Amino acid sequence: FLRGKLAPLQRAKTRAFKGALQLYRSTAEAILQRAAAGSSEASGSLAAKLAKCAESGGSALTPSAVADEMTGLLLAGHETSSNTATWALHLLATHPREQEQVRAEVAALDLRRASLADLYQCSLLQGVMFEALRLRPTVPLVPRLAPSRAPIHGYSVAKGTRIVQNKIAICEDASLFPGPARFDPSRFGRGEYGAHGATIVAFGVGPRLCVGYRLAEAQVLSLLAHVLRDFSLSAGSTEPKEALNVTLQPLDGLLLRLTPLSAPVAVRS
């Protein structure tokens, strides 16, 4: 925690976080209230479906607990998507040839009307997102608890064993990704990632599959497409240092230089 003259900065940051947290929670509560009142739109929301599943399963999950779960999902989704977009923009800024190739692909889209299906047609654009997730995995270490005894690559894993999935080892495996240190958005088009980044378990798998993976893809792909359409990117600072605090993020952020029209503008990401 910051002390002395810098302490007000810490308090201001804490107030901003609490305000955002309350906004997420009040939004979830409002959706649940509208669903209870019979709103068909709200009834189709994840929050309402989670509450309904809890009721049908005889669970003690209260509306407040559902709101807590939704707040956690919203916070987790924002953190991971924003970090992925930040690293993707940095990779584009430091690889001008690939940046121009992806920009040419995006130029064919009408971004005012483009749907997620349209963005999925851009293999290089998707490749940028998954290369960011591979070279800078958002959640590099994923702990799990074995629910039952199971064989894994010849090893017998006992029930209750704590397992940590090392995504960095997967992402740097040359048998999966030839030249693993190289930024190469065309990997996606060659099928190295599989559907939705399955090779690097980008969004989890099985019952632990991220419920918001399509939203995350829509956010990141749309942001990248709009930035590439309107700006030329270059690095505004030296190579950023990594900081791991559950998610992998640039230590103290990073600077990008966006050049719209004629005047270059430095933007902290």
Side-chain angles (χ1 to χ4, degrees):
F1 292 93
L2 298 178
R3 299 179 182 277
K5 293 182 179 180
L6 296 179
L9 296 177
Q10 184 74 49
R11 289 196 291 270
K13 195 172 183 179
T14 300
R15 284 196 300 271
F17 172 76
K18 288 182 176 179
L21 195 65
Q22 182 55 42
L23 176 62
Y24 282 144
R25 184 178 179 82
S26 61
T27 300
E29 289 174 342
I31 291 173
L32 288 170
Q33 289 171 2
R34 291 202 301 272
S39 168
S40 58
E41 182 181 2
S43 297
S45 69
L46 180 60
K49 289 180 178 180
L50 184 60
K52 188 174 182 180
C53 286
E55 291 173 2
S56 61
S59 169
L61 204 60
T62 64
S64 178
V66 173
D68 286 340
E69 290 293 330
M70 295 311 303
T71 300
L73 286 171
L74 287 167
L75 284 172
H78 168 78
E79 174 80 4
T80 51
S81 296
S82 60
N83 280 334
T84 299
T86 295
W87 289 120
L89 290 170
H90 171 70
L91 288 167
L92 287 168
T94 52
H95 295 81
R97 183 173 67 88
E98 286 78 5
Q99 180 185 151
E100 288 302 321
Q101 291 172 343
V102 184
R103 179 176 291 109
E105 181 181 64
V106 169
L109 294 176
D110 180 358
L111 293 180
R112 294 171 301 176
R113 299 180 176 83
S115 64
L116 181 55
D118 295 324
L119 294 172
Y120 280 159
Q121 296 302 311
C122 300
S123 63
L124 288 176
L125 183 67
Q126 289 190 81
V128 171
M129 176 179 66
F130 287 118
E131 281 289 82
L133 285 166
R134 183 180 70 83
L135 293 168
R136 310 280 192 168
T138 307
V139 184
L141 301 173
V142 182
R144 288 286 183 261
L145 190 68
S148 60
R149 179 179 293 277
I152 299 180
H153 290 286
Y155 294 91
S156 179
V157 178
K159 178 181 179 180
T161 300
R162 296 184 183 278
I163 304 170
V164 177
Q165 181 189 81
N166 185 345
K167 285 194 178 181
I168 295 175
I170 298 173
C171 295
E172 295 181 354
D173 188 341
S175 68
L176 299 173
F177 303 100
R182 186 178 69 251
F183 173 61
D184 183 1
S186 63
R187 293 184 194 275
F188 182 82
R190 295 197 298 270
E192 292 181 22
Y193 279 105
H196 304 288
T199 306
I200 59 172
V201 201
F203 297 103
V205 68
R208 293 291 182 178
L209 179 68
C210 173
V211 296
Y213 76 93
R214 287 189 182 274
L215 174 61
E217 289 179 338
Q219 289 176 324
V220 175
L221 294 175
S222 180
L223 184 147
L224 295 178
H226 279 84
V227 170
L228 285 169
R229 182 193 63 182
D230 297 334
F231 299 96
S232 174
L233 298 168
S234 60
S237 61
T238 56
E239 185 71 12
K241 295 181 179 180
E242 296 177 347
L244 180 59
N245 182 19
V246 181
T247 59
L248 187 69
Q249 52 195 273
L251 181 65
D252 299 324
L254 60 84
L255 287 175
L256 295 174
R257 188 169 294 276
L258 279 63
T259 308
L261 302 177
S262 58
V265 178
V267 177
R268 181 169 292 278
S269 178

